[in-house]
Amino acid sequence: MSAEKSNHNTDDHVDTEIYNCLKLENPKSFFLFAGAGSGKTRSLVKVLTDFKTEYGKQLRLNRKKVAIITYTNAACDEIIHRLKYDPIFTVTTIHSYAWELIKNFNHDIKLWLKNNLANEIYKLEEEQSKSKNLLNKTSIDRTRKIESKNKRLDNLNNIQQFTYNPNGDNISKDSLNHSEVISIAANFIQNKPLMQDLLVCKFPIVLIDESQDTKKDLINAFFELQKNKKESFSLGLFGDTMQRIYVDGKENLELELPKDWIKPVKKMNHRSNKRIISLINSIRQSVDKQKQEPRNEKEEGFVRLFICKRGLDKQKTEVNVSQRMSEITGDFLWNNDINNANIKTLILEHHMAARRMGFLEFFEPLYKEDKLSTGVLDGTLAGANFFTKIILPIVNANEVGDKFAIARIVKKYSAYLNKNEILKNAQQIENIRKANMALLDLLVLWDDNADPLLIDVIKNVYKTELFPLPDSLLTIAKRTKSDLLEANKLENIEVEDEVSDDVIDAWDLALANSFSQIKHYNDYISEDSKFGTHQGVKGLEYERVMVILDDEESKGFLFSYDKLFGSKDLSPTDRKNIEEGKETANDRTRRLFYVACSRAKESLAIVAYTDNPEIVSKSAIEFGWFKKEEIVIIQ
């Protein structure tokens, strides 16, 4: 093999450095800089496989484990599979891991909640006392929040055991929400010696992926743990501070690492062609000087910036861009219409995708509600899953006449065909008849190509008792028809009398929309669409990427490409933050831009909508990001 084809082994020494940190007899902590496409997961699996050979038996005998914390369930599944399902490795998301740590400390959780709720109520009441008009929307909403928090505070003494579902809709009286679980875990790790002893005893090694986006309170807590237990505990952080895209991640993580930590760096980018790597290197050059190297055998690749005057027909413009990219690259897979699945289109924020794909009215009210936003983004929201996992598959199967698929779904989810019900009910035939009649009654809603409202779907299901409804939907279904208010015949449902008003308000708005929006929403979260958000594609890669920069359509306030490219002035807040050395919209946007561009493997098209094409073009050249011949202005 020639030298020109052998540089993919450049970072092999990093695996050795990491492995040496995991020696149980002499543990060290480390931060691994792993930029885009650096083969981080491959290194992790290799190191842990070698670790298992040397220390696996010792850990099993002492009932200890290695904790590997990743950002998504999909990443967990991939690592578990590659580690061959060995039980000495606990691979989990941060929310699941945090809950596992605290779930048996009910008394301590209750004390934390009492103190936290009292502080929140005090702050709200203080704000309310300063309000000049108690009848405006802000004051009315604040009153409702105070009432809700007081009600929850009063109810705490009645709770014997707290519950939490890291993948679900946590709105029952005894449940914790996602942010509370993280905050409680961080507080216990940082301040309770017993928690520190228990954690290190069970998990002498904790490895955290995407550490730059892990909530800063939790990272600080782990820093405190490591400082107190460094003789028996190894903390490994994997990440790239340039890829921090969530505002609650720890700023300047790399600058606050303890001096005795090991800081290995992976320099190789195995993913992208050479021109794409040079672009992302230049985007981050003014931030931290980290540079990646391409593999020798990679092609040069293609990058183009299409600057488009606002007001153009975006669909036609983006089709035009894909056709031009086909001509530039010689790759016919670029040359297709806007629905071309061979091109991954990355946009700024989720609601831009919702608007473009036709599920905005369903998505937006749920996304705005803090208690629901995480679930609606990652596809774990119980109310949404009722539609995507039960109703939508039935409707799709009915459209193609697949009666067997429908039967499987009804058998799996219907209360009528629940195994326990059938065993205790002698009238099994009658139950099957009821399920069939209920199913036919439901499917009538789609007769003659009708597109029923979501509220009508849950009313129907509640009326026929075909499927159990999630608590949030059940509450609405019960109160939407007066003659059903006293009916409570659905089996296997834990009915909650109190659900957050904000949650119900959000669902009321979402359910007022047509069922077809569920189809589009499901396409989006299941990666069946060509659209993805910058936030949602970290760790993923695509042959052809089109990045859409459009502040006007995204409606965001944390990011601004107009400001980044100089076509819009910085706000007074941005200028103040610069003076004080704080993070600005430009800093956040630059990182997001880096993440988006670094997804491309072979070719990359950036489509920037702006009122000032010439300014954007001039800035792109002055920054050293693009050459003049790589810029196309579309007026």
Side-chain angles (χ1 to χ4, degrees), residues 315 338-339 344-345 347 349-361 363 516-533 553:
Q315 182 167 331
I338 197 62
N339 296 312
K344 190 66 177 181
T345 301
I347 53 185
E349 289 182 339
H350 297 279
H351 60 256
M352 190 194 292
R355 180 181 290 105
R356 285 177 170 231
M357 292 184 63
F359 62 92
L360 179 65
E361 292 78 14
F363 173 83
S516 57
Q517 294 207 18
I518 291 293
K519 292 186 177 183
H520 302 314
Y521 165 72
N522 187 62
D523 286 343
Y524 180 58
I525 63 169
S526 59
E527 294 287 332
D528 287 340
S529 79
K530 63 167 288 184
F531 291 110
T533 60
E553 190 177 353

Coordinates of all heavy atoms in Angstrom, one line a residue, residues 315 338-339 344-345 347 349-361 363 516-533 553:
Q315 N -39.3 27.0 -3.9 CA -39.3 25.6 -4.5 C -38.6 25.6 -5.8 O -37.7 24.7 -6.1 CB -40.7 25.1 -4.6 CG -40.7 23.7 -5.1 CD -42.1 23.0 -4.9 OE1 -42.8 23.4 -4.0 NE2 -42.5 22.1 -5.8
I338 N -37.7 18.8 -6.4 CA -37.5 19.2 -5.0 C -37.6 18.1 -4.0 O -37.2 18.1 -2.9 CB -38.4 20.4 -4.6 CG1 -37.9 21.1 -3.3 CG2 -39.8 19.9 -4.5 CD1 -36.5 21.7 -3.5
N339 N -38.3 17.0 -4.5 CA -38.6 15.8 -3.6 C -37.5 14.8 -3.7 O -37.7 13.6 -3.3 CB -40.0 15.3 -3.9 CG -41.1 16.2 -3.5 OD1 -41.1 16.8 -2.5 ND2 -42.0 16.4 -4.5
K344 N -30.0 15.5 0.8 CA -30.5 15.8 2.1 C -30.5 17.3 2.3 O -29.5 18.0 2.1 CB -29.6 15.2 3.2 CG -30.2 15.3 4.6 CD -31.4 14.5 4.7 CE -32.0 14.5 6.1 NZ -33.2 13.7 6.3
T345 N -31.7 17.9 2.6 CA -31.8 19.3 2.7 C -31.8 19.6 4.2 O -32.7 19.2 5.0 CB -33.1 19.8 2.1 OG1 -33.1 19.5 0.7 CG2 -33.3 21.3 2.2
I347 N -32.1 22.5 7.2 CA -32.7 23.8 7.4 C -32.4 24.2 8.9 O -31.8 23.5 9.7 CB -34.2 23.8 7.2 CG1 -34.8 22.7 7.9 CG2 -34.5 23.6 5.7 CD1 -36.3 22.5 7.7
E349 N -34.4 25.5 11.6 CA -35.1 25.1 12.8 C -36.3 24.1 12.4 O -36.7 24.1 11.3 CB -35.7 26.3 13.5 CG -34.6 27.1 14.2 CD -35.2 28.3 15.0 OE1 -36.3 28.7 14.6 OE2 -34.5 28.8 15.9
H350 N -36.8 23.4 13.4 CA -37.8 22.4 13.2 C -39.0 22.9 12.5 O -39.7 22.3 11.7 CB -38.1 21.7 14.5 CG -36.9 20.9 15.0 ND1 -36.5 19.7 14.6 CD2 -36.0 21.3 16.0 CE1 -35.5 19.3 15.3 NE2 -35.2 20.2 16.2
H351 N -39.5 24.1 13.0 CA -40.7 24.6 12.5 C -40.6 25.1 11.0 O -41.6 25.2 10.3 CB -41.4 25.7 13.3 CG -40.6 26.9 13.6 ND1 -39.9 27.2 14.7 CD2 -40.3 28.0 12.8 CE1 -39.3 28.3 14.7 NE2 -39.5 28.8 13.5
M352 N -39.4 25.3 10.5 CA -39.2 25.6 9.1 C -39.6 24.3 8.3 O -40.2 24.3 7.2 CB -37.8 26.0 8.7 CG -37.7 26.5 7.3 SD -36.0 26.7 6.7 CE -35.4 28.1 7.7
A353 N -39.1 23.1 8.8 CA -39.4 21.9 8.2 C -40.9 21.6 8.3 O -41.6 21.2 7.3 CB -38.7 20.7 8.8
A354 N -41.5 22.0 9.4 CA -42.9 21.8 9.6 C -43.8 22.6 8.6 O -44.8 22.1 8.1 CB -43.3 22.1 11.1
R355 N -43.3 23.8 8.4 CA -44.0 24.6 7.4 C -43.9 24.1 6.0 O -44.8 24.0 5.2 CB -43.5 26.1 7.5 CG -44.2 27.0 6.5 CD -43.6 28.4 6.6 NE -43.9 29.1 7.8 CZ -43.1 29.2 8.8 NH1 -41.8 28.8 8.7 NH2 -43.5 29.8 9.9
R356 N -42.7 23.7 5.6 CA -42.4 23.2 4.3 C -43.1 21.8 4.0 O -43.5 21.6 2.9 CB -40.9 23.1 4.0 CG -40.2 24.4 3.8 CD -38.7 24.2 3.7 NE -38.1 25.5 3.2 CZ -37.3 25.6 2.2 NH1 -37.1 24.6 1.5 NH2 -36.8 26.8 1.9
M357 N -43.2 21.0 5.1 CA -43.8 19.7 4.9 C -45.3 19.6 5.2 O -45.9 18.6 4.9 CB -43.0 18.7 5.7 CG -41.6 18.5 5.3 SD -40.7 17.2 6.3 CE -41.7 15.8 5.9
G358 N -45.8 20.6 5.8 CA -47.3 20.6 6.0 C -47.8 20.1 7.3 O -48.9 19.5 7.3
F359 N -47.0 20.2 8.4 CA -47.5 19.8 9.7 C -47.3 20.9 10.7 O -47.3 20.6 11.9 CB -46.9 18.5 10.1 CG -45.4 18.5 10.3 CD1 -44.9 18.7 11.6 CD2 -44.6 18.2 9.3 CE1 -43.5 18.7 11.8 CE2 -43.2 18.1 9.5 CZ -42.6 18.4 10.7
L360 N -47.2 22.1 10.3 CA -46.9 23.2 11.2 C -47.9 23.4 12.3 O -47.6 23.6 13.5 CB -46.7 24.5 10.4 CG -46.4 25.8 11.3 CD1 -45.0 25.6 12.0 CD2 -46.4 27.0 10.4
E361 N -49.2 23.4 11.9 CA -50.3 23.7 12.9 C -50.4 22.6 13.9 O -50.7 22.9 15.1 CB -51.6 23.9 12.1 CG -51.7 25.1 11.2 CD -50.9 24.9 9.9 OE1 -50.6 23.7 9.6 OE2 -50.7 25.9 9.2
F363 N -47.7 20.8 14.9 CA -46.4 20.7 15.6 C -46.1 21.9 16.5 O -45.7 21.8 17.6 CB -45.3 20.7 14.5 CG -43.9 20.8 15.0 CD1 -43.2 19.7 15.5 CD2 -43.2 22.0 15.0 CE1 -41.9 19.8 16.0 CE2 -41.9 22.2 15.5 CZ -41.3 21.0 15.9
S516 N -54.0 14.4 8.1 CA -53.0 14.4 7.1 C -51.7 15.0 7.7 O -50.6 14.6 7.2 CB -53.4 15.1 5.8 OG -53.7 16.4 6.1
Q517 N -51.8 15.9 8.6 CA -50.6 16.5 9.2 C -49.8 15.5 10.0 O -48.5 15.6 10.0 CB -50.9 17.7 10.1 CG -51.5 18.9 9.3 CD -51.3 20.2 10.0 OE1 -50.4 20.3 10.9 NE2 -52.0 21.2 9.6
I518 N -50.4 14.4 10.5 CA -49.7 13.4 11.2 C -48.8 12.6 10.2 O -47.7 12.2 10.6 CB -50.7 12.4 11.9 CG1 -51.4 13.1 13.0 CG2 -50.0 11.1 12.3 CD1 -50.5 13.4 14.2
K519 N -49.3 12.4 9.0 CA -48.5 11.7 8.0 C -47.2 12.4 7.7 O -46.1 11.9 7.7 CB -49.3 11.5 6.7 CG -50.5 10.6 6.8 CD -51.1 10.4 5.4 CE -52.3 9.4 5.5 NZ -52.9 9.1 4.2
H520 N -47.3 13.7 7.5 CA -46.1 14.6 7.3 C -45.2 14.6 8.5 O -44.0 14.6 8.3 CB -46.6 16.0 6.8 CG -47.5 16.0 5.6 ND1 -47.2 15.2 4.5 CD2 -48.6 16.7 5.4 CE1 -48.2 15.5 3.6 NE2 -49.0 16.3 4.1
Y521 N -45.8 14.8 9.6 CA -45.0 14.8 10.9 C -44.2 13.5 11.0 O -43.0 13.4 11.4 CB -45.9 15.0 12.1 CG -45.3 14.7 13.4 CD1 -44.3 15.5 14.0 CD2 -45.7 13.6 14.2 CE1 -43.7 15.2 15.2 CE2 -45.1 13.3 15.4 CZ -44.1 14.1 15.9 OH -43.6 13.8 17.1
N522 N -44.9 12.4 10.8 CA -44.3 11.1 10.9 C -43.1 10.9 9.9 O -42.1 10.3 10.3 CB -45.3 9.9 10.8 CG -44.7 8.6 11.1 OD1 -44.3 8.3 12.2 ND2 -44.7 7.7 10.1
D523 N -43.3 11.3 8.7 CA -42.3 11.3 7.7 C -41.0 12.0 8.2 O -39.9 11.6 8.0 CB -42.7 11.9 6.4 CG -43.7 11.0 5.6 OD1 -43.8 9.8 6.0 OD2 -44.4 11.5 4.7
Y524 N -41.2 13.1 8.9 CA -40.1 14.0 9.3 C -39.3 13.3 10.4 O -38.1 13.2 10.4 CB -40.7 15.3 9.8 CG -39.6 16.3 10.2 CD1 -38.6 16.7 9.4 CD2 -39.7 16.8 11.5 CE1 -37.6 17.5 9.9 CE2 -38.7 17.7 12.0 CZ -37.7 18.1 11.1 OH -36.7 19.0 11.6
I525 N -40.1 12.9 11.5 CA -39.3 12.3 12.7 C -38.7 11.0 12.4 O -37.8 10.6 13.1 CB -40.2 12.3 13.9 CG1 -41.4 11.3 13.7 CG2 -40.7 13.7 14.3 CD1 -42.2 11.1 14.9
S526 N -39.3 10.3 11.4 CA -38.7 8.9 11.1 C -37.7 9.0 10.0 O -37.3 7.9 9.5 CB -39.9 8.0 10.7 OG -40.5 8.5 9.5
E527 N -37.2 10.2 9.6 CA -36.1 10.4 8.6 C -36.6 9.9 7.3 O -35.7 9.5 6.5 CB -34.9 9.7 9.1 CG -34.2 10.2 10.3 CD -33.5 11.6 10.1 OE1 -33.1 11.8 8.9 OE2 -33.4 12.4 11.0
D528 N -37.9 9.9 7.0 CA -38.3 9.5 5.7 C -38.5 10.6 4.7 O -39.0 10.5 3.6 CB -39.7 8.7 5.8 CG -39.6 7.4 6.4 OD1 -38.4 6.8 6.3 OD2 -40.5 6.8 6.9
S529 N -38.1 11.8 5.2 CA -38.2 13.0 4.3 C -36.8 13.4 3.9 O -35.8 13.0 4.5 CB -38.9 14.1 5.0 OG -38.1 14.8 5.9
K530 N -36.8 14.3 2.9 CA -35.5 14.8 2.5 C -35.0 16.0 3.4 O -33.9 16.4 3.4 CB -35.5 15.3 1.1 CG -36.5 16.5 0.9 CD -36.3 17.2 -0.5 CE -35.0 18.0 -0.5 NZ -34.8 18.7 -1.7
F531 N -35.9 16.4 4.4 CA -35.6 17.5 5.2 C -35.0 17.0 6.6 O -35.4 16.1 7.1 CB -36.8 18.4 5.5 CG -37.3 19.1 4.3 CD1 -38.5 18.7 3.7 CD2 -36.6 20.2 3.8 CE1 -39.0 19.4 2.6 CE2 -37.1 20.9 2.7 CZ -38.3 20.5 2.1
G532 N -34.0 17.8 7.1 CA -33.5 17.6 8.4 C -33.1 18.9 9.0 O -32.8 19.8 8.2
T533 N -33.1 19.1 10.3 CA -32.6 20.3 10.9 C -31.1 20.2 11.2 O -30.6 19.1 11.4 CB -33.4 20.7 12.2 OG1 -33.2 19.6 13.1 CG2 -34.8 20.8 11.9
E553 N -37.7 32.7 7.2 CA -38.6 31.6 7.3 C -38.5 30.8 8.6 O -39.4 30.2 9.1 CB -38.4 30.6 6.2 CG -39.4 29.5 6.0 CD -39.2 28.6 4.8 OE1 -38.3 28.9 4.0 OE2 -39.9 27.6 4.7

